[in-house]
Amino acid sequence: EADIYQTPRYLVIGTGKKITLECSQTMGHDKMYWYQQDPGMELHLIHYSYGVNSTEKGDLSSESTVSRIRTEHFPLTLESARPSHTSQYLCASSTKMNTEAFFGQGTRLTVV
Amino acid sequence: AQSVSQHNHHVILSEAASLELGCNYSYGGTVNLFWYVQYPGQHLQLLLKYFSGDPLVKGIKGFEAEFIKSKFSFNLRKPSVQWSDTAEYFCAVNGFNAGNMLTFGGGTRLMVKP
């Protein structure tokens, strides 16, 4: 079944640690996105990709980085986690022609 | 640049009341418009979408939205809400140009009292 997967669902990590949030989609979508969402707040686009080897920064400044080596995979990395990174991170994908975006379940990150 | 504005941050209704959530966008070109819903503890799901054609679009669970181009609006409506409609609702816009990315409004938190 075509879907979009994020792991882990929940993560509690200490300050200064390096973490990678995984996102994979099986729909063959060209575009992929990372959004940051604090509880009850709006979604902020932090990274996006048009396709393989394409990565762009979004509207919200983020200390994270992304890579897109394969179409289906769009991991997000924080080199040194800080408490200010505590948030929910949502991954999404869509076709090249901007049809609807499909969202993963999200990763709720807490940095202590 | 494109932006989306949702006017109501919190809405509280009783069951069977009618619902209308406002959404305005700014973008000079052709747009694709969406309403997403996020139920408590769940991921974002598509409620409905408008690409072209009839400006009144119907989505799942009895929701509908009307695209009014002259007002740059895409308001969400439901004639009679249920307790299970309690959720957060996000309006989103995507410029037709393939270079555009999906931009979300700030969201409206709807609480329906039984």
Side-chain angles (χ1 to χ4, degrees):
Chain A
E1 180 179 315
D3 212 334
I4 180 163
Y5 306 95
Q6 287 185 245
T7 56
R9 287 288 311 279
Y10 302 93
L11 179 63
V12 180
I13 199 164
T15 298
K17 299 291 186 183
K18 177 181 178 179
I19 56 170
T20 296
L21 308 184
E22 301 289 349
C23 176
S24 295
Q25 50 98 2
T26 60
M27 296 172 280
H29 286 165
D30 291 299
K31 289 185 174 177
M32 294 190 74
Y33 317 76
W34 276 103
Y35 290 87
Q36 186 174 339
Q37 183 189 28
D38 291 324
M41 303 296 284
E42 60 194 288
L43 282 80
H44 294 285
L45 181 66
I46 52 174
H47 296 285
Y48 59 97
S49 167
Y50 293 109
V52 171
N53 294 326
S54 154
T55 61
E56 305 285 345
K57 288 190 178 292
D59 303 324
L60 182 69
S61 173
S62 174
E63 293 163 344
S64 58
T65 59
V66 291
S67 63
R68 189 89 185 274
I69 298 171
R70 304 197 317 264
T71 298
E72 61 271 21
H73 196 211
F74 192 43
L76 181 146
T77 298
L78 276 166
E79 291 292 333
S80 180
R82 295 211 301 267
S84 61
H85 296 138
T86 295
S87 188
Q88 177 164 238
Y89 294 83
L90 298 173
C91 181
S93 71
S94 70
T95 66
K96 191 182 299 185
M97 293 312 298
N98 293 338
T99 53
E100 68 188 87
F102 292 83
F103 282 82
Q105 295 271 27
T107 295
R108 194 171 290 277
L109 173 66
T110 302
V111 183
V112 298
Chain B
Q2 56 197 37
S3 65
V4 182
S5 175
Q6 292 181 241
H7 317 297
N8 317 99
H9 296 291
H10 293 93
V11 173
I12 301 173
L13 295 173
S14 298
E15 276 196 314
S18 65
L19 170 72
E20 180 159 3
L21 301 182
C23 172
N24 286 90
Y25 68 93
S26 67
Y27 182 71
T30 304
V31 292
N32 297 329
L33 296 158
F34 309 85
W35 275 98
Y36 283 85
V37 60
Q38 188 173 33
Y39 297 105
Q42 295 190 26
H43 63 284
L44 278 159
Q45 303 169 44
L46 184 71
L47 261 184
L48 47 79
K49 60 189 177 185
Y50 172 81
F51 290 164
S52 64
D54 189 343
L56 184 63
V57 292
K58 294 190 184 300
I60 60 172
K61 304 186 181 185
F63 285 92
E64 64 179 32
E66 185 175 13
F67 170 50
I68 303 179
K69 189 175 181 180
S70 61
K71 295 184 178 180
F72 297 90
S73 70
F74 190 55
N75 293 353
L76 180 72
R77 299 195 292 251
K78 185 171 183 178
S80 176
V81 295
Q82 300 171 315
W83 175 78
S84 58
D85 293 324
T86 294
E88 187 138 22
Y89 293 81
F90 292 92
C91 182
V93 64
N94 205 337
F96 192 70
N97 185 315
N100 289 100
M101 289 293 149
L102 195 59
T103 301
F104 284 85
T108 297
R109 181 160 293 212
L110 172 67
M111 180 182 295
V112 180
K113 297 184 294 184

Short mmCIF file of all heavy atoms in Angstrom, two decimals, chain A residues 9 31-33 35 37 39-43 45 48-50 59 88 90 94 96-105, chain B residues 32 34 36 38 41-46 49 51 88 90 94-107 109:
data_model
loop_
_atom_site.label_atom_id
_atom_site.label_comp_id
_atom_site.label_asym_id
_atom_site.label_seq_id
_atom_site.Cartn_x
_atom_site.Cartn_y
_atom_site.Cartn_z
N ARG A 9 8.40 7.77 15.97
CA ARG A 9 7.21 8.57 16.26
C ARG A 9 7.47 9.53 17.40
O ARG A 9 7.01 10.67 17.39
CB ARG A 9 6.04 7.65 16.63
CG ARG A 9 5.44 6.88 15.48
CD ARG A 9 4.64 7.77 14.53
NE ARG A 9 3.68 8.64 15.20
CZ ARG A 9 2.49 8.28 15.60
NH1 ARG A 9 2.08 7.04 15.44
NH2 ARG A 9 1.68 9.16 16.18
N LYS A 31 8.18 15.58 -5.15
CA LYS A 31 8.35 16.61 -4.12
C LYS A 31 8.20 16.02 -2.72
O LYS A 31 7.30 15.22 -2.46
CB LYS A 31 7.33 17.72 -4.31
CG LYS A 31 7.59 18.59 -5.52
CD LYS A 31 6.61 19.75 -5.59
CE LYS A 31 6.97 20.69 -6.70
NZ LYS A 31 6.01 21.80 -6.84
N MET A 32 9.09 16.45 -1.85
CA MET A 32 8.98 16.08 -0.45
C MET A 32 9.25 17.30 0.41
O MET A 32 9.95 18.24 -0.01
CB MET A 32 9.93 14.94 -0.09
CG MET A 32 9.59 13.63 -0.79
SD MET A 32 10.48 12.20 -0.19
CE MET A 32 9.67 11.89 1.38
N TYR A 33 8.65 17.30 1.61
CA TYR A 33 8.67 18.48 2.46
C TYR A 33 8.93 18.06 3.91
O TYR A 33 8.53 16.98 4.33
CB TYR A 33 7.31 19.20 2.46
CG TYR A 33 6.63 19.35 1.13
CD1 TYR A 33 5.99 18.28 0.52
CD2 TYR A 33 6.56 20.59 0.50
CE1 TYR A 33 5.32 18.42 -0.69
CE2 TYR A 33 5.88 20.75 -0.70
CZ TYR A 33 5.27 19.66 -1.28
OH TYR A 33 4.61 19.80 -2.48
N TYR A 35 7.92 19.90 7.58
CA TYR A 35 7.28 21.00 8.29
C TYR A 35 7.56 20.84 9.78
O TYR A 35 7.68 19.72 10.30
CB TYR A 35 5.77 20.99 8.08
CG TYR A 35 5.32 21.35 6.69
CD1 TYR A 35 5.21 20.37 5.71
CD2 TYR A 35 4.99 22.66 6.36
CE1 TYR A 35 4.78 20.69 4.42
CE2 TYR A 35 4.57 22.98 5.09
CZ TYR A 35 4.47 22.00 4.12
OH TYR A 35 4.06 22.32 2.86
N GLN A 37 5.89 21.86 13.47
CA GLN A 37 4.63 22.28 14.05
C GLN A 37 4.69 22.16 15.56
O GLN A 37 4.78 21.06 16.10
CB GLN A 37 3.46 21.44 13.51
CG GLN A 37 2.12 21.87 14.02
CD GLN A 37 1.00 20.92 13.67
OE1 GLN A 37 1.21 19.72 13.50
NE2 GLN A 37 -0.23 21.44 13.55
N PRO A 39 2.73 22.34 19.21
CA PRO A 39 1.35 21.91 19.53
C PRO A 39 0.33 23.02 19.36
O PRO A 39 0.49 24.11 19.90
CB PRO A 39 1.47 21.47 21.00
CG PRO A 39 2.89 21.07 21.15
CD PRO A 39 3.68 22.01 20.28
N GLY A 40 -0.69 22.74 18.58
CA GLY A 40 -1.76 23.69 18.36
C GLY A 40 -1.40 24.90 17.53
O GLY A 40 -2.18 25.86 17.45
N MET A 41 -0.26 24.85 16.91
CA MET A 41 0.20 26.01 16.15
C MET A 41 0.25 25.69 14.66
O MET A 41 -0.05 24.58 14.23
CB MET A 41 1.59 26.44 16.65
CG MET A 41 1.65 26.75 18.13
SD MET A 41 0.63 28.17 18.59
CE MET A 41 1.66 29.50 17.97
N GLU A 42 0.63 26.68 13.88
CA GLU A 42 0.64 26.50 12.43
C GLU A 42 1.84 25.67 11.99
O GLU A 42 2.76 25.43 12.75
CB GLU A 42 0.69 27.86 11.75
CG GLU A 42 1.91 28.69 12.11
CD GLU A 42 1.72 30.14 11.68
OE1 GLU A 42 1.76 30.40 10.47
OE2 GLU A 42 1.53 31.00 12.56
N LEU A 43 1.78 25.23 10.76
CA LEU A 43 2.88 24.47 10.17
C LEU A 43 3.85 25.42 9.49
O LEU A 43 3.44 26.32 8.75
CB LEU A 43 2.34 23.51 9.11
CG LEU A 43 1.68 22.22 9.59
CD1 LEU A 43 0.26 22.48 10.04
CD2 LEU A 43 1.71 21.18 8.49
N LEU A 45 7.15 25.51 6.97
CA LEU A 45 7.99 24.76 6.04
C LEU A 45 9.45 25.03 6.34
O LEU A 45 9.88 26.18 6.33
CB LEU A 45 7.65 25.17 4.60
CG LEU A 45 8.41 24.46 3.49
CD1 LEU A 45 8.04 22.99 3.45
CD2 LEU A 45 8.11 25.12 2.15
N TYR A 48 12.47 21.55 1.70
CA TYR A 48 11.73 20.85 0.67
C TYR A 48 12.68 20.41 -0.43
O TYR A 48 13.83 20.84 -0.49
CB TYR A 48 10.58 21.69 0.10
CG TYR A 48 10.97 23.02 -0.51
CD1 TYR A 48 11.15 23.14 -1.88
CD2 TYR A 48 11.10 24.15 0.28
CE1 TYR A 48 11.46 24.36 -2.45
CE2 TYR A 48 11.41 25.37 -0.27
CZ TYR A 48 11.59 25.48 -1.64
OH TYR A 48 11.91 26.69 -2.19
N SER A 49 12.15 19.54 -1.27
CA SER A 49 12.97 18.96 -2.33
C SER A 49 12.09 18.75 -3.56
O SER A 49 10.96 18.27 -3.46
CB SER A 49 13.54 17.61 -1.87
OG SER A 49 14.08 16.89 -2.96
N TYR A 50 12.65 19.09 -4.73
CA TYR A 50 11.93 18.88 -5.99
C TYR A 50 12.14 17.47 -6.52
O TYR A 50 11.38 17.01 -7.38
CB TYR A 50 12.41 19.87 -7.05
CG TYR A 50 12.07 21.30 -6.78
CD1 TYR A 50 13.05 22.21 -6.41
CD2 TYR A 50 10.75 21.76 -6.90
CE1 TYR A 50 12.74 23.55 -6.16
CE2 TYR A 50 10.44 23.10 -6.66
CZ TYR A 50 11.44 23.98 -6.29
OH TYR A 50 11.13 25.29 -6.05
N ASP A 59 10.53 28.47 4.55
CA ASP A 59 10.27 29.81 5.06
C ASP A 59 10.84 30.02 6.45
O ASP A 59 11.23 31.12 6.82
CB ASP A 59 8.75 30.07 5.10
CG ASP A 59 8.14 29.89 3.73
OD1 ASP A 59 8.79 30.24 2.74
OD2 ASP A 59 7.00 29.37 3.67
N GLN A 88 7.16 19.16 16.89
CA GLN A 88 6.75 18.04 16.06
C GLN A 88 7.22 18.31 14.63
O GLN A 88 7.08 19.42 14.13
CB GLN A 88 5.25 17.83 16.07
CG GLN A 88 4.81 16.70 15.14
CD GLN A 88 3.41 16.20 15.39
OE1 GLN A 88 3.19 15.01 15.66
NE2 GLN A 88 2.45 17.07 15.28
N LEU A 90 6.86 17.15 10.71
CA LEU A 90 5.98 16.45 9.79
C LEU A 90 6.62 16.36 8.41
O LEU A 90 7.09 17.37 7.87
CB LEU A 90 4.64 17.19 9.66
CG LEU A 90 3.81 17.30 10.92
CD1 LEU A 90 2.61 18.20 10.69
CD2 LEU A 90 3.35 15.94 11.39
N SER A 94 4.38 15.06 -2.47
CA SER A 94 3.35 15.32 -3.47
C SER A 94 3.95 15.10 -4.85
O SER A 94 5.16 14.98 -5.01
CB SER A 94 2.82 16.75 -3.36
OG SER A 94 3.79 17.69 -3.78
N LYS A 96 4.84 16.17 -8.80
CA LYS A 96 5.49 17.35 -9.36
C LYS A 96 4.48 18.43 -9.69
O LYS A 96 4.76 19.62 -9.63
CB LYS A 96 6.24 16.93 -10.62
CG LYS A 96 7.19 17.98 -11.18
CD LYS A 96 7.85 17.50 -12.45
CE LYS A 96 8.67 16.26 -12.25
NZ LYS A 96 9.41 15.83 -13.46
N MET A 97 3.26 18.03 -10.04
CA MET A 97 2.25 19.00 -10.48
C MET A 97 1.40 19.54 -9.34
O MET A 97 0.31 20.02 -9.55
CB MET A 97 1.36 18.37 -11.54
CG MET A 97 2.12 18.08 -12.82
SD MET A 97 3.12 19.49 -13.38
CE MET A 97 1.85 20.72 -13.67
N ASN A 98 1.91 19.44 -8.12
CA ASN A 98 1.27 20.10 -6.98
C ASN A 98 -0.13 19.60 -6.67
O ASN A 98 -1.00 20.36 -6.27
CB ASN A 98 1.21 21.62 -7.19
CG ASN A 98 2.59 22.22 -7.18
OD1 ASN A 98 3.52 21.63 -6.64
ND2 ASN A 98 2.73 23.36 -7.78
N THR A 99 -0.34 18.32 -6.89
CA THR A 99 -1.59 17.74 -6.38
C THR A 99 -1.47 17.64 -4.86
O THR A 99 -0.50 18.09 -4.26
CB THR A 99 -1.81 16.36 -7.00
OG1 THR A 99 -0.64 15.57 -6.80
CG2 THR A 99 -2.09 16.48 -8.48
N GLU A 100 -2.43 17.06 -4.22
CA GLU A 100 -2.45 17.07 -2.76
C GLU A 100 -1.18 16.48 -2.16
O GLU A 100 -0.52 15.62 -2.76
CB GLU A 100 -3.65 16.27 -2.26
CG GLU A 100 -3.52 14.77 -2.56
CD GLU A 100 -4.78 14.03 -2.23
OE1 GLU A 100 -5.65 13.95 -3.10
OE2 GLU A 100 -4.86 13.50 -1.10
N ALA A 101 -0.83 16.96 -1.01
CA ALA A 101 0.30 16.43 -0.26
C ALA A 101 -0.19 15.38 0.72
O ALA A 101 -1.25 15.51 1.31
CB ALA A 101 1.01 17.56 0.48
N PHE A 102 0.59 14.33 0.87
CA PHE A 102 0.30 13.27 1.82
C PHE A 102 1.28 13.40 2.98
O PHE A 102 2.48 13.59 2.76
CB PHE A 102 0.44 11.90 1.16
CG PHE A 102 -0.60 11.63 0.12
CD1 PHE A 102 -0.44 12.10 -1.17
CD2 PHE A 102 -1.75 10.92 0.42
CE1 PHE A 102 -1.39 11.87 -2.14
CE2 PHE A 102 -2.72 10.69 -0.55
CZ PHE A 102 -2.54 11.16 -1.84
N PHE A 103 0.75 13.28 4.19
CA PHE A 103 1.57 13.50 5.37
C PHE A 103 1.85 12.22 6.12
O PHE A 103 1.02 11.31 6.18
CB PHE A 103 0.86 14.48 6.32
CG PHE A 103 0.97 15.89 5.88
CD1 PHE A 103 0.11 16.40 4.92
CD2 PHE A 103 1.94 16.73 6.41
CE1 PHE A 103 0.22 17.71 4.49
CE2 PHE A 103 2.06 18.04 6.00
CZ PHE A 103 1.20 18.54 5.03
N GLY A 104 3.03 12.18 6.72
CA GLY A 104 3.35 11.11 7.65
C GLY A 104 2.74 11.38 9.00
O GLY A 104 2.10 12.40 9.23
N GLN A 105 2.94 10.43 9.92
CA GLN A 105 2.36 10.54 11.26
C GLN A 105 3.08 11.57 12.11
O GLN A 105 2.56 12.00 13.15
CB GLN A 105 2.43 9.18 11.96
CG GLN A 105 1.58 8.11 11.30
CD GLN A 105 0.17 8.09 11.83
OE1 GLN A 105 -0.35 9.10 12.30
NE2 GLN A 105 -0.46 6.95 11.76
N ASN B 32 -3.89 26.02 -6.57
CA ASN B 32 -4.58 24.84 -6.08
C ASN B 32 -4.85 25.09 -4.60
O ASN B 32 -3.98 25.58 -3.87
CB ASN B 32 -3.72 23.58 -6.24
CG ASN B 32 -3.40 23.27 -7.69
OD1 ASN B 32 -4.18 23.57 -8.58
ND2 ASN B 32 -2.25 22.68 -7.91
N PHE B 34 -6.57 23.78 -0.78
CA PHE B 34 -6.80 22.56 0.02
C PHE B 34 -7.31 22.93 1.41
O PHE B 34 -6.98 23.99 1.95
CB PHE B 34 -5.50 21.77 0.20
CG PHE B 34 -4.75 21.48 -1.06
CD1 PHE B 34 -3.87 22.41 -1.59
CD2 PHE B 34 -4.92 20.28 -1.72
CE1 PHE B 34 -3.16 22.15 -2.76
CE2 PHE B 34 -4.21 20.00 -2.89
CZ PHE B 34 -3.34 20.93 -3.40
N TYR B 36 -7.12 20.76 5.00
CA TYR B 36 -6.67 19.57 5.70
C TYR B 36 -7.26 19.58 7.11
O TYR B 36 -7.51 20.64 7.69
CB TYR B 36 -5.14 19.54 5.82
CG TYR B 36 -4.43 19.14 4.56
CD1 TYR B 36 -4.13 20.08 3.58
CD2 TYR B 36 -4.04 17.82 4.35
CE1 TYR B 36 -3.47 19.71 2.42
CE2 TYR B 36 -3.37 17.45 3.19
CZ TYR B 36 -3.09 18.40 2.23
OH TYR B 36 -2.43 18.02 1.09
N GLN B 38 -6.76 17.78 11.08
CA GLN B 38 -5.88 17.03 11.97
C GLN B 38 -6.67 16.70 13.24
O GLN B 38 -6.89 17.58 14.08
CB GLN B 38 -4.63 17.84 12.30
CG GLN B 38 -3.57 17.07 13.06
CD GLN B 38 -2.29 17.88 13.22
OE1 GLN B 38 -2.31 19.10 13.33
NE2 GLN B 38 -1.14 17.21 13.21
N GLY B 41 -4.15 13.72 17.94
CA GLY B 41 -3.24 12.59 17.93
C GLY B 41 -3.05 11.91 16.59
O GLY B 41 -2.38 10.88 16.49
N GLN B 42 -3.64 12.47 15.55
CA GLN B 42 -3.54 11.84 14.23
C GLN B 42 -2.80 12.74 13.24
O GLN B 42 -2.54 13.90 13.51
CB GLN B 42 -4.94 11.53 13.70
CG GLN B 42 -5.68 10.49 14.52
CD GLN B 42 -6.95 10.03 13.84
OE1 GLN B 42 -7.07 10.07 12.61
NE2 GLN B 42 -7.90 9.58 14.62
N HIS B 43 -2.48 12.16 12.09
CA HIS B 43 -1.76 12.94 11.11
C HIS B 43 -2.72 13.77 10.26
O HIS B 43 -3.93 13.57 10.30
CB HIS B 43 -0.91 12.03 10.22
CG HIS B 43 -1.71 11.06 9.40
ND1 HIS B 43 -2.28 9.93 9.93
CD2 HIS B 43 -2.04 11.07 8.09
CE1 HIS B 43 -2.89 9.28 8.98
NE2 HIS B 43 -2.78 9.94 7.86
N LEU B 44 -2.18 14.71 9.55
CA LEU B 44 -2.98 15.56 8.66
C LEU B 44 -3.62 14.73 7.56
O LEU B 44 -2.97 13.91 6.93
CB LEU B 44 -2.11 16.63 8.03
CG LEU B 44 -1.83 17.87 8.87
CD1 LEU B 44 -0.60 18.58 8.38
CD2 LEU B 44 -3.03 18.79 8.83
N GLN B 45 -4.91 15.00 7.33
CA GLN B 45 -5.62 14.30 6.26
C GLN B 45 -6.30 15.33 5.37
O GLN B 45 -6.74 16.38 5.84
CB GLN B 45 -6.71 13.39 6.84
CG GLN B 45 -6.22 12.37 7.83
CD GLN B 45 -7.39 11.71 8.55
OE1 GLN B 45 -8.40 11.36 7.93
NE2 GLN B 45 -7.27 11.55 9.85
N LEU B 46 -6.40 15.00 4.09
CA LEU B 46 -7.06 15.91 3.16
C LEU B 46 -8.57 15.84 3.32
O LEU B 46 -9.16 14.76 3.29
CB LEU B 46 -6.67 15.54 1.73
CG LEU B 46 -7.21 16.47 0.66
CD1 LEU B 46 -6.49 17.81 0.71
CD2 LEU B 46 -7.03 15.85 -0.73
N LYS B 49 -10.25 19.49 -1.96
CA LYS B 49 -9.29 20.25 -2.75
C LYS B 49 -9.99 20.89 -3.94
O LYS B 49 -11.03 20.40 -4.41
CB LYS B 49 -8.17 19.33 -3.24
CG LYS B 49 -8.66 18.18 -4.10
CD LYS B 49 -7.55 17.19 -4.39
CE LYS B 49 -8.09 16.00 -5.18
NZ LYS B 49 -7.06 14.94 -5.38
N PHE B 51 -8.91 22.38 -7.77
CA PHE B 51 -7.90 22.63 -8.80
C PHE B 51 -8.48 23.52 -9.89
O PHE B 51 -7.84 24.46 -10.33
CB PHE B 51 -7.42 21.31 -9.41
CG PHE B 51 -6.57 20.48 -8.48
CD1 PHE B 51 -6.32 19.14 -8.74
CD2 PHE B 51 -6.02 21.01 -7.33
CE1 PHE B 51 -5.55 18.37 -7.88
CE2 PHE B 51 -5.24 20.26 -6.46
CZ PHE B 51 -5.01 18.92 -6.75
N GLU B 88 -8.35 20.19 14.37
CA GLU B 88 -7.75 21.42 13.87
C GLU B 88 -7.82 21.39 12.34
O GLU B 88 -7.54 20.36 11.72
CB GLU B 88 -6.30 21.54 14.32
CG GLU B 88 -5.67 22.88 13.98
CD GLU B 88 -4.83 23.43 15.11
OE1 GLU B 88 -4.39 22.65 15.96
OE2 GLU B 88 -4.60 24.66 15.11
N PHE B 90 -6.77 23.14 8.67
CA PHE B 90 -5.75 23.96 8.02
C PHE B 90 -6.12 24.20 6.56
O PHE B 90 -6.40 23.25 5.82
CB PHE B 90 -4.39 23.28 8.07
CG PHE B 90 -3.80 23.17 9.44
CD1 PHE B 90 -4.03 22.05 10.21
CD2 PHE B 90 -3.02 24.19 9.96
CE1 PHE B 90 -3.48 21.93 11.48
CE2 PHE B 90 -2.46 24.09 11.23
CZ PHE B 90 -2.70 22.96 11.99
N ASN B 94 -1.28 26.17 -3.02
CA ASN B 94 -0.11 25.79 -3.79
C ASN B 94 -0.23 26.46 -5.15
O ASN B 94 -1.18 26.20 -5.88
CB ASN B 94 -0.06 24.28 -3.94
CG ASN B 94 1.34 23.78 -4.15
OD1 ASN B 94 2.19 24.53 -4.59
ND2 ASN B 94 1.57 22.54 -3.85
N GLY B 95 0.68 27.35 -5.44
CA GLY B 95 0.65 27.99 -6.73
C GLY B 95 0.78 26.98 -7.84
O GLY B 95 1.45 25.96 -7.70
N PHE B 96 0.16 27.24 -8.96
CA PHE B 96 0.12 26.27 -10.05
C PHE B 96 1.50 26.02 -10.64
O PHE B 96 1.79 24.96 -11.15
CB PHE B 96 -0.84 26.77 -11.13
CG PHE B 96 -1.17 25.72 -12.15
CD1 PHE B 96 -1.96 24.63 -11.81
CD2 PHE B 96 -0.67 25.79 -13.44
CE1 PHE B 96 -2.27 23.65 -12.74
CE2 PHE B 96 -0.98 24.82 -14.37
CZ PHE B 96 -1.77 23.75 -14.03
N ASN B 97 2.35 27.02 -10.53
CA ASN B 97 3.72 26.86 -10.99
C ASN B 97 4.38 25.73 -10.21
O ASN B 97 4.30 25.69 -9.00
CB ASN B 97 4.48 28.17 -10.76
CG ASN B 97 5.89 28.13 -11.31
OD1 ASN B 97 6.62 27.17 -11.13
ND2 ASN B 97 6.27 29.20 -11.98
N ALA B 98 5.02 24.83 -10.91
CA ALA B 98 5.61 23.67 -10.25
C ALA B 98 6.68 24.04 -9.25
O ALA B 98 7.04 23.26 -8.39
CB ALA B 98 6.19 22.72 -11.30
N GLY B 99 7.18 25.25 -9.35
CA GLY B 99 8.19 25.69 -8.39
C GLY B 99 7.63 26.07 -7.04
O GLY B 99 8.36 26.25 -6.09
N ASN B 100 6.30 26.17 -6.95
CA ASN B 100 5.70 26.57 -5.69
C ASN B 100 5.59 25.40 -4.73
O ASN B 100 5.48 24.25 -5.13
CB ASN B 100 4.31 27.16 -5.95
CG ASN B 100 4.39 28.51 -6.62
OD1 ASN B 100 4.21 28.60 -7.82
ND2 ASN B 100 4.68 29.52 -5.86
N MET B 101 5.58 25.74 -3.46
CA MET B 101 5.44 24.75 -2.42
C MET B 101 4.17 25.00 -1.64
O MET B 101 3.66 26.12 -1.59
CB MET B 101 6.64 24.80 -1.47
CG MET B 101 7.90 24.28 -2.09
SD MET B 101 7.77 22.51 -2.44
CE MET B 101 8.80 22.40 -3.88
N LEU B 102 3.68 23.96 -0.99
CA LEU B 102 2.44 24.04 -0.25
C LEU B 102 2.61 24.95 0.97
O LEU B 102 3.48 24.73 1.80
CB LEU B 102 2.04 22.64 0.18
CG LEU B 102 0.62 22.40 0.67
CD1 LEU B 102 -0.39 22.77 -0.40
CD2 LEU B 102 0.46 20.95 1.09
N THR B 103 1.77 25.98 1.07
CA THR B 103 1.82 26.93 2.18
C THR B 103 0.55 26.82 2.99
O THR B 103 -0.55 26.83 2.43
CB THR B 103 1.97 28.36 1.65
OG1 THR B 103 3.17 28.45 0.88
CG2 THR B 103 2.05 29.35 2.80
N PHE B 104 0.69 26.73 4.31
CA PHE B 104 -0.44 26.54 5.19
C PHE B 104 -0.82 27.82 5.92
O PHE B 104 0.03 28.67 6.21
CB PHE B 104 -0.12 25.47 6.25
CG PHE B 104 -0.16 24.07 5.72
CD1 PHE B 104 0.93 23.53 5.09
CD2 PHE B 104 -1.31 23.31 5.85
CE1 PHE B 104 0.89 22.23 4.58
CE2 PHE B 104 -1.36 22.02 5.36
CZ PHE B 104 -0.26 21.48 4.73
N GLY B 105 -2.09 27.91 6.25
CA GLY B 105 -2.56 28.94 7.16
C GLY B 105 -2.26 28.54 8.59
O GLY B 105 -1.74 27.46 8.86
N GLY B 106 -2.60 29.42 9.53
CA GLY B 106 -2.27 29.18 10.92
C GLY B 106 -3.13 28.14 11.61
O GLY B 106 -2.83 27.74 12.73
N GLY B 107 -4.19 27.70 10.95
CA GLY B 107 -5.04 26.67 11.54
C GLY B 107 -6.17 27.25 12.36
O GLY B 107 -6.06 28.34 12.93
N ARG B 109 -8.74 25.84 15.41
CA ARG B 109 -9.07 24.74 16.32
C ARG B 109 -10.57 24.76 16.57
O ARG B 109 -11.10 25.74 17.10
CB ARG B 109 -8.31 24.90 17.63
CG ARG B 109 -8.57 23.78 18.63
CD ARG B 109 -7.49 23.72 19.66
NE ARG B 109 -6.23 23.31 19.05
CZ ARG B 109 -5.31 22.60 19.68
NH1 ARG B 109 -5.50 22.24 20.92
NH2 ARG B 109 -4.20 22.29 19.08
#
